[in-house]
Amino acid sequence: MKSVAALAFIAALAAASPAAAQFGWGQEMDMSNFATLDPTAVSSDWRACTNEASRFSTEEIIAGCGHVFANSSRPATRAYALWWRGFAYKRTGQAELAAADYQAALAEFEAWSQADPRSIDAHVNRACLLVSMHEYDQASAELAIADRMRRRQPRVIGAIGHIAFLRGDYATAITLFDRADAIARMDHAGEILTHNRCEARAAAGVEMDETEEICDRAVRASQGHPATFVSRGFYRFRRNDMDGALADFESALSRDPNNASALYGRSVVAARAGRQEAADADLARARELNPETIEYYANAGMRP
């Protein structure tokens, strides 16, 4: 299991909470090590709930999350358990059950905020969940509260940038990601948003020569985190460099075989090359793992 210190970069990829890494921003990674931050959650139930290493069935995920929820009195833990369970329901087409869990998770985040009114964490997490529900206006309101409570927080600024990205306002996303990344580096905050800067420019199709160095820097700074390879692969796709894009998606998958973003990227490249059977297989697996990542990159211009 990764150390708590190792979470700094990974959490920054989602610009929010550990649980949010699976849901909001197109990138996904194994965040089951959130359990290291909550001793009550270190259990086989938590590993099943968070689908550690993508090896649990839907039934095991739902049962594990139910046990975590029932056995914890901490609003944060209960909210995360509901969020993961809701995502499992959503992933398997059980929309009503997913919606009920998401609403219950929002209530738990509100309870967390009331119990710790000086913390911005509950507001940021509520925002991330609302983003995954496509409730962008409500998410923006939560982030505005967090920003008023504590200025110059890279993860808050980055999260606002992600909403702009999801809305297709890439110019605003670029400005916000640049600002968040600069603050993080200046303050040595441990939150790196360079790969977001790469993706926003790639989606906008601007500053593409400069973007190449930004994407390369993200890979170097993360020591080859899979999400940064996906970001650079997306950039290379947008430049019509299919060989380079495929190499990056393969690099991501060599580090994380269950990276839905990389699987989707590889499926798109395969489809462009006429290898439809391989494309269909990767697309089906990506959809099984995280259908939201398909929407994220397809809307930003990575389509067959």
Side-chain angles (χ1 to χ4, degrees):
M1 184 172 288
K2 302 179 183 71
S3 68
V4 175
L7 294 177
F9 174 77
I10 296 173
L13 293 174
S17 70
Q22 275 284 0
F23 307 111
W25 317 133
Q27 302 287 12
E28 75 292 319
M29 58 287 295
D30 176 13
M31 292 310 302
S32 59
N33 49 21
F34 171 70
T36 63
L37 306 180
D38 178 7
T40 68
V42 180
S43 67
S44 58
D45 286 332
W46 185 258
R47 287 189 286 273
C49 176
T50 57
N51 195 16
E52 185 177 72
S54 301
R55 60 189 176 88
F56 291 89
S57 68
T58 300
E59 292 75 17
E60 290 170 327
I61 294 168
I62 291 169
C65 292
H67 291 152
V68 170
F69 177 81
N71 293 326
S72 178
S73 60
R74 299 178 73 248
T77 302
R78 289 163 62 87
Y80 290 134
L82 288 163
W83 191 345
W84 282 102
R85 190 174 70 181
F87 181 62
Y89 284 136
K90 182 177 180 179
R91 205 162 42 84
T92 53
Q94 301 179 74
E96 290 186 5
L97 292 173
D101 271 356
Y102 285 171
Q103 289 299 326
L106 290 172
E108 292 291 346
F109 282 132
E110 179 61 28
W112 177 8
S113 178
Q114 292 176 2
D116 189 4
R118 299 178 64 181
S119 171
I120 68 171
D121 292 339
H123 294 289
V124 174
N125 278 278
R126 275 178 60 88
C128 293
L129 176 50
L130 286 162
V131 165
S132 78
M133 298 167 65
H134 294 183
E135 297 289 352
Y136 298 146
D137 289 341
Q138 292 183 53
S140 296
E142 291 289 342
L143 292 170
I145 294 171
D147 187 54
R148 287 195 299 271
M149 291 172 63
R150 192 180 304 167
R151 300 288 185 181
R152 290 177 53 85
Q153 294 299 301
R155 62 185 173 132
V156 175
I157 299 167
I160 297 169
H162 277 292
I163 292 175
F165 184 100
L166 290 165
R167 283 176 156 162
D169 183 0
Y170 301 124
T172 298
I174 289 168
T175 298
L176 290 168
F177 288 147
D178 285 356
R179 180 185 169 208
D181 196 43
I183 293 172
R185 293 177 185 280
M186 185 183 306
D187 294 348
H188 305 287
E191 295 165 343
I192 301 171
L193 290 93
T194 309
H195 76 297
N196 299 139
R197 298 177 64 213
C198 163
E199 287 194 345
R201 285 169 167 80
V206 300
E207 304 173 8
M208 295 299 264
D209 291 334
E210 176 187 350
T211 301
E212 183 171 4
E213 173 53 29
I214 294 173
C215 299
D216 290 345
R217 193 184 314 143
V219 173
R220 291 194 303 271
S222 72
Q223 299 181 345
H225 192 283
T228 62
F229 279 114
V230 172
S231 294
R232 192 172 67 181
F234 170 63
Y235 157 76
R236 288 175 167 172
F237 175 89
R238 294 284 287 164
R239 296 214 79 167
N240 204 34
D241 176 8
M242 297 301 158
D243 289 340
L246 179 60
D248 274 336
F249 297 140
E250 294 282 12
S251 293
L253 289 166
S254 71
R255 291 159 173 79
D256 176 12
N258 294 307
N259 189 298
S261 301
L263 285 165
Y264 174 65
R266 191 170 69 176
S267 78
V268 171
V269 173
R272 290 283 183 104
R275 294 183 284 108
Q276 198 58 49
E277 185 175 349
D280 290 345
D282 278 344
L283 179 61
R285 180 59 175 158
R287 185 174 287 118
E288 178 186 1
L289 289 165
N290 188 351
E292 293 183 7
T293 199
I294 298 171
E295 178 184 5
Y296 179 90
Y297 284 107
N299 288 347
M302 188 160 69
R303 295 182 290 272

